[in-house]
Amino acid sequence: MTIFNFGSINIDLFYTVPHFPDAGETLTTLSHQRTLGGKGANQSIALAKAGAKVIHIGAINADDAWIRSEMQAVGVDTSQIQDSALATGHAIVAVNSDGENQIMLCPSANRDITMEAALAVLKTAGTNDWVLLQNETNGAKEFAEAARQQGLKLAYSAAPFEAEIVLELLPHTDLLVVNEGEAKALETTLGKPASEIGLAHLVITRGGDGAEYFGEAGHLHQPAFDVDVVDTTGAGDCFFGYLLAAIADQPLTDESLADALASASAAAALQITAAGASLAIPHRSEVDAFLESYRAKTS
């Protein structure tokens, strides 16, 4: 089983701040860090650390070869990352004392993916493989349609939420993961509760209130794990990567889905106890140890 992630790659510029600045305010930051990020790259790294085989399809500036090295180091296949004449996508991330964040995003090379080469990669896919998409690249609809024609299953992170793109991709989607804000935007766009849109699998993440599943397995609620929050940036991507790795790896039953949600929630809980997005994503062994310890305490 392989997951073809047609996804964004960003350079994240993190600034720790005492509070978020008001309009017109100049604010001195407490720290600065440059790391690899982007919803697509974060999800590929989470998938790889969860044990899945993932091929990342995207674009970066040729001068940023370190990005390929970092992704390869955790097991991501980067052979299909294209070189672009544009700057690598980047995000400015402010993190306050409560661990909450504000993000400004510049797509750059993420919107410069050559589709002919990207679509050619799908010809190597098998019938049990999955495609993963977000809303940070060009060509998502074309890629989704091509994947569907080959009978592949599609997982979709509808973020950043853009109604027009969402409406184009939903008919092709098997697994949709959104946060509370995106779920509300989806409900506004469709004019009905997100739980009633008829997808095979829908997961709504609710931060400290856990996550909810709606779909073929009915309705499940996964509570959040109680941890000390340092930085919530990328937690949703970590959750999605671990969830998809589990769902794609085995036949879906009520029990396996509950286990997948627990694993994804545990991974996200561990991720927010450290600073950064991709850097803080835990390995499978850490997640398994966390769950084993938690179950031992609560049994």
Side-chain angles (χ1 to χ4, degrees):
M1 178 274 301
T2 300
I3 296 167
F4 294 82
N5 185 2
F6 184 74
S8 58
I9 303 169
N10 288 336
I11 297 172
D12 284 346
L13 304 173
F14 281 92
Y15 298 89
T16 305
V17 295
H19 61 267
F20 294 133
D22 294 325
E25 178 183 5
T26 298
L27 184 66
T28 300
T29 67
L30 303 176
S31 67
H32 167 255
Q33 186 179 26
R34 186 190 77 164
T35 65
L36 171 61
K39 296 194 72 63
N42 291 342
Q43 290 171 6
S44 280
I45 290 170
L47 282 160
K49 287 189 173 183
K53 180 181 179 181
V54 54
I55 298 174
H56 193 100
I57 305 164
I60 60 174
N61 186 272
D63 290 337
D64 292 319
W66 63 272
I67 290 176
R68 284 191 178 87
S69 297
E70 287 199 10
M71 295 178 73
Q72 289 169 356
V74 297
V76 178
D77 184 333
T78 64
S79 61
Q80 302 305 320
I81 295 178
Q82 304 169 12
D83 287 332
S84 170
L86 301 181
T88 298
H90 55 276
I92 296 174
V93 185
V95 182
N96 69 10
S97 57
D98 295 323
E100 296 297 327
N101 62 67
Q102 288 184 344
I103 302 173
M104 291 187 294
L105 180 66
C106 181
S108 297
N110 291 320
R111 299 285 173 88
D112 191 41
I113 300 172
T114 301
M115 291 308 299
E116 182 178 1
L119 294 173
V121 182
L122 287 178
K123 295 178 182 179
T124 66
T127 55
N128 293 324
D129 293 339
W130 282 71
V131 161
L132 172 58
L133 297 169
Q134 312 85 33
N135 285 349
E136 293 183 339
T137 66
N138 64 291
K141 179 185 177 183
E142 187 177 356
F143 198 83
E145 290 175 343
R148 256 303 179 243
Q149 289 174 1
Q150 288 191 219
L152 303 179
K153 293 182 179 179
L154 191 144
Y156 177 38
S157 175
F161 192 91
E162 296 184 35
E164 182 178 352
I165 298 176
V166 172
L167 290 175
E168 290 177 340
L169 295 185
L170 274 184
H172 306 293
T173 300
D174 295 285
L175 168 64
L176 174 68
V177 178
V178 290
N179 63 25
E180 283 186 290
E182 293 152 4
K184 290 179 181 177
L186 181 63
E187 291 174 349
T188 299
T189 299
L190 298 177
K192 56 184 173 182
S195 59
E196 297 179 6
I197 62 179
L199 291 177
H201 311 291
L202 166 68
V203 176
I204 302 174
T205 60
R206 302 189 184 279
D209 292 328
E212 285 190 280
Y213 168 90
F214 302 91
E216 293 177 355
H219 177 211
L220 300 175
H221 176 252
Q222 170 61 47
F225 293 95
D226 186 18
V227 296
D228 294 327
V229 178
V230 173
D231 180 4
T232 59
T233 308
D237 298 330
C238 178
F239 178 97
F240 200 158
Y242 265 81
L243 179 69
L244 179 56
I247 287 177
D249 188 47
Q250 57 189 320
L252 196 60
T253 64
D254 291 358
E255 183 178 358
S256 68
L257 181 57
D259 288 343
L261 287 168
S263 176
S265 295
L270 284 171
Q271 198 261 358
I272 64 176
T273 63
S278 63
L279 288 176
I281 295 172
H283 287 276
R284 166 65 69 183
S285 59
E286 298 174 89
V287 175
D288 290 344
F290 177 89
L291 281 171
E292 184 178 352
S293 175
Y294 176 83
R295 287 163 178 163
K297 291 177 182 178
T298 57
S299 62

